[in-house]
Amino acid sequence: MPRFAANLSFLFTEAPFPERFARAAAAGFAGVEYLFPYDWPAAEVAEWLRAASLEQVLFNLPAGDWATGERGLACLPDRQREFAASVETALDYACQLGCRRLHCMAGLRPAGVAEAEVEETYIANLRHAADRLATIGATLTIEPINSRLDMPGYWLDDIGRARRLLDAIGRDNIALQLDLYHAQIIQGDLARTLQTHFARIAHVQIADNPGRHEPGTGEIHYPYLFGLLDQLGYGGWVGCEYKPATTTEAGLGWLARY
């Protein structure tokens, strides 16, 4: 049976962020993830985790100025010093929160820069980040995000290219983060996608399509895919990164069977 983690940037948003940890635990989740913890001191976040007996499953490296539309730094040739500093910030939080899986957002495609230079920058940055995270036994993940609906201009928007980049980066502690919602929009054929790339998958996320709501509201047959993950021997977490159609608690009926 998959282990489900509540994404607190999407779920329980009816409550202030510090209160979402207890709500997630009360709903039956044993782990949590979210986009970023950096607005709060790491010691405070660690206390919220401890009080709710939750495991910190995943969070993102700093991704630039999110409020102005930036979506990562890793592919930007003129931001490599800032990227290196962001890795150190994430490393400090990972140590204090006991988190051993971090996602690095690629960023939006920079205008006027040759594709070869963008890719070279990305590979160099990811090697650096993976090497730094290896010092604490942590895994770095990369996630293809659809650029058609949710994140126009996002550079890493193809699953096959993500797999090729993993090989080019060449580090044992870097892996694929597969969000099945994004994968459905990018290429579909989710069962074969899981089977094809399973050996490189370290984290799975879910939402239904269309709407990015909870499982059971759209076209994706999640009971089959959860069974397939069991058959494949997936032992990682499944992050619930969806937008509740109404309220979080009202939409958790799908979880009861698991």
Side-chain angles (χ1 to χ4, degrees):
M1 179 190 304
R3 296 183 296 163
F4 296 100
N7 189 304
L8 300 185
S9 298
F10 285 73
L11 303 186
F12 307 102
T13 56
E14 303 87 356
F17 187 73
E19 298 177 14
R20 297 175 199 173
F21 294 80
R23 288 205 180 192
F29 290 101
V32 292
E33 61 180 43
Y34 36 71
L35 294 180
F36 310 106
Y38 310 112
D39 286 341
W40 298 271
E44 290 186 16
V45 182
E47 176 56 27
W48 303 333
L49 288 164
R50 187 204 62 76
S53 299
L54 290 168
E55 180 176 337
Q56 181 65 57
V57 171
L58 177 86
F59 60 85
N60 294 335
L61 272 65
D65 191 338
W66 191 266
T68 64
E70 291 189 329
R71 293 296 182 263
L73 303 172
C75 77
L76 306 181
D78 61 342
R79 305 284 288 277
Q80 286 182 278
R81 285 189 179 182
E82 186 178 348
F83 178 83
S86 79
V87 172
E88 298 308 308
T89 299
L91 191 65
D92 178 58
Y93 271 78
C95 288
Q96 295 192 60
L97 303 182
C99 186
R100 293 299 178 264
R101 192 176 296 102
L102 289 87
H103 170 230
C104 177
M105 297 191 72
L108 304 181
R109 186 182 305 276
V113 181
E115 179 68 13
E117 183 180 358
V118 175
E119 183 169 311
E120 180 181 340
T121 299
Y122 181 82
I123 291 172
N125 279 335
L126 270 291
R127 284 173 176 165
H128 171 78
D131 289 345
R132 293 296 295 137
L133 292 186
T135 64
I136 63 166
T139 296
L140 185 68
T141 65
I142 64 172
E143 175 192 1
I145 296 176
N146 85 83
S147 60
R148 182 160 61 88
L149 296 177
D150 289 77
M151 208 168 285
Y154 194 73
W155 182 70
L156 186 59
D157 61 354
D158 180 87
I159 296 169
R161 179 167 58 174
R163 180 67 182 266
R164 178 178 61 79
L165 286 166
L166 288 176
D167 294 338
I169 293 162
R171 297 294 189 270
D172 292 337
N173 66 321
I174 186 164
L176 183 65
Q177 179 171 312
L178 189 66
D179 187 315
L180 295 175
Y181 162 77
H182 288 299
Q184 174 72 350
I185 295 171
I186 291 170
Q187 67 179 49
D189 200 12
L190 295 180
R192 263 184 286 268
T193 298
L194 281 169
Q195 292 167 331
T196 300
H197 301 291
F198 181 74
R200 302 303 299 270
I201 296 173
H203 191 63
V204 172
Q205 291 176 320
I206 60 170
D208 219 327
N209 182 63
R212 202 174 185 176
H213 299 313
E214 55 265 41
T217 59
E219 66 185 354
I220 301 176
H221 186 41
Y222 273 111
Y224 177 84
L225 295 176
F226 294 152
L228 178 60
L229 285 172
D230 284 344
Q231 292 174 28
L232 292 171
Y234 180 68
W237 289 88
V238 174
C240 299
E241 192 181 61
Y242 62 80
K243 303 172 183 178
T246 54
T247 66
T248 301
E249 282 86 353
L252 285 175
W254 70 271
L255 186 61
R257 66 187 294 179
Y258 303 104

